[in-house]
Amino acid sequence: MKPDGTLGWSAISAYLDTLASADPTPGGGAAAAVTAAQGAALFSMVCNLTIGKKKFADVEHEIRLILDQCETARRQMLNLGDRDMEVFGTIMEVYKMPKTTPEEAEARRAAIQYALRASSEVPFELFRRCIAMLPIADRLEQIANPSVLSDVFVGRYLLVAGLLSAKANVEVNLDSIDDDAFCEAKRTAMREALDGLEENCRRLVGR
Amino acid sequence: MKPDGTLGWSAISAYLDTLASADPTPGGGAAAAVTAAQGAALFSMVCNLTIGKKKFADVEHEIRLILDQCETARRQMLNLGDRDMEVFGTIMEVYKMPKTTPEEAEARRAAIQYALRASSEVPFELFRRCIAMLPIADRLEQIANPSVLSDVFVGRYLLVAGLLSAKANVEVNLDSIDDDAFCEAKRTAMREALDGLEENCRRLVGR
């Protein structure tokens, strides 16, 4: 993208138009994934602006490994944004199932519950991937090119927003899921992941 | 964008590639602006999924006014992302000014300082616009269609990430600016804006 940003920027603008529209997808799930993927991309930029510089030769091997992790995370996060839109489509479909007989109503209910459980796995996976990226921010803050330190900070803020958003998206699904054991397991896993964060991140997630 | 998201999604992926590259623009400034603009876009979606529904007829007038504010904010935020890349280009240019004579060195120093001050205004403006959007989240939480309440939460998280990122981007500029009065004014304005937030948002910004 050029500094005047025309081409790439108009694509972003078109994406934001679809986000703002009454069409429910893309919605909060896609926005959370794009935000998290931007965080991972900024960490990659920080790595790319550290690699190949004599001053940081001592850490170059480690930075290359971190870059691999960031690039993998970014792809996975963007895929989760895509899957979020797919599962939403599935839920809309199962809600259209007939419910004129008791048997149909029961089949529809079971299909909705199945789709909601499957749907909650997508933001839950995004939440986990964001959590896993936070120690990378701490490490980059210590060893990467300090002239792009503010990009490490921004990346961390975006990942925190991604994980809090993903958590809200899991919770809205859980509110409609009847399977109490399933819901409790998800809530416990998210609570434990947040409580296990280093102190600098705990403050950022409001804990 | 279709649920399979192919067209729009590949544009997002291309944007993320440029973000991740060693090219310093787009960088943290653009990512902060895109994140904030996504927050505003989600609030617009919430408005668009409230307007025209009999159940929310009582608040329709207010929601339409909020929608206008969100759409304006989104445009302005995206423009700030564009301007962030422009001013970065300017800074890169002035650093290339000659400095072989004392006069040249002084002209270069002054030009750099001017460019840094101008540059800090862009994230500062983004910070202010994000702060101004937070009361809208609170109001949407009260009156908008509750079936998209999680999108209000996600939008608020994205705006908080946008403002914290913008603040980090202002601060990295201030670190290189010699004009102490200018720096102190910016720091005070940001501190007062954060301290003036409602309690639910203060916790989200780590205060």
Side-chain angles (χ1 to χ4, degrees), chain A residues 1-6 8-9 11-13 15-35 37-38 41-42 44-45 48-49 71 74 78-79 81-82 85-86 150-151 153-154 157-158 161-162 164-165 168-169 172 203-207, chain B residues 1-6 8-9 11-13 15-35 37-38 41-42 44-45 48-49 71 74 78-79 81-82 85-86 150-151 153-154 157-158 161-162 164-165 168-169 172 203-207:
Chain A
M1 196 181 297
K2 292 279 167 275
D4 74 352
T6 29
W9 222 235
I12 298 294
S13 185
Y15 157 70
L16 292 173
D17 284 343
T18 61
L19 195 59
S21 77
D23 195 334
T25 59
V34 168
T35 300
Q38 282 190 109
L42 280 176
S44 291
M45 180 183 86
N48 283 321
L49 288 166
E71 292 292 280
R74 172 158 68 98
L78 208 57
N79 276 343
D82 228 349
M85 292 188 271
E86 275 170 37
S150 64
D151 295 294
F153 296 160
V154 172
Y157 290 135
L158 302 191
L164 292 174
S165 298
N169 290 331
V172 74
R203 207 170 52 91
L204 283 174
V205 299
R207 275 185 128 75
Chain B
M1 197 180 293
K2 292 278 167 277
D4 73 351
T6 30
W9 222 234
I12 297 294
S13 185
Y15 157 71
L16 292 173
D17 284 343
T18 63
L19 195 59
S21 77
D23 194 333
T25 59
V34 169
T35 301
Q38 282 190 109
L42 279 176
S44 291
M45 180 183 85
N48 283 321
L49 288 166
E71 292 291 281
R74 172 157 69 98
L78 207 57
N79 277 342
D82 229 348
M85 292 188 271
E86 275 170 39
S150 64
D151 295 294
F153 296 160
V154 172
Y157 290 135
L158 302 191
L164 292 174
S165 299
N169 290 331
V172 74
R203 206 170 54 89
L204 284 174
V205 299
R207 277 182 126 77

Side-chain angles (χ1 to χ4, degrees), chain A residues 130-141:
Chain A
C130 291
I131 290 270
M133 289 295 287
L134 293 180
I136 292 182
D138 296 343
R139 190 63 185 148
L140 288 175
E141 192 175 333

Side-chain angles (χ1 to χ4, degrees), chain B residues 37-67:
Chain B
Q38 282 190 109
L42 279 176
F43 289 172
S44 291
M45 180 183 85
V46 169
C47 292
N48 283 321
L49 288 166
T50 303
I51 289 168
K53 291 191 162 56
K54 212 181 273 179
K55 217 165 142 189
F56 309 109
D58 284 357
V59 295
E60 174 146 340
H61 179 70
E62 183 177 353
I63 292 280
R64 283 187 185 276
L65 294 176
I66 291 177
L67 176 59

Side-chain angles (χ1 to χ4, degrees), chain A residues 37 39-44 47 65-75 77 133 136 140:
Chain A
L42 280 176
F43 290 172
S44 291
C47 293
L65 294 176
I66 291 176
L67 176 59
D68 275 351
Q69 287 180 274
C70 295
E71 292 292 280
T72 303
R74 172 158 68 98
R75 267 195 309 275
M77 288 163 170
M133 289 295 287
I136 292 182
L140 288 175

Side-chain angles (χ1 to χ4, degrees), chain A residues 79-128:
Chain A
N79 276 343
L80 287 168
D82 228 349
R83 278 187 53 205
D84 196 274
M85 292 188 271
E86 275 170 37
V87 294
F88 187 86
T90 307
I91 289 179
M92 290 298 95
E93 283 307 307
V94 293
Y95 269 104
K96 289 181 202 153
M97 283 171 68
K99 49 177 177 174
T100 41
T101 69
E103 292 74 22
E104 281 179 353
E106 173 51 25
R108 178 176 176 272
R109 195 204 58 79
I112 290 171
Q113 286 296 313
Y114 181 86
L116 285 170
R117 284 196 303 274
S119 166
S120 71
E121 298 290 356
V122 179
F124 181 71
E125 190 61 26
L126 180 64
F127 172 87
R128 284 186 50 238

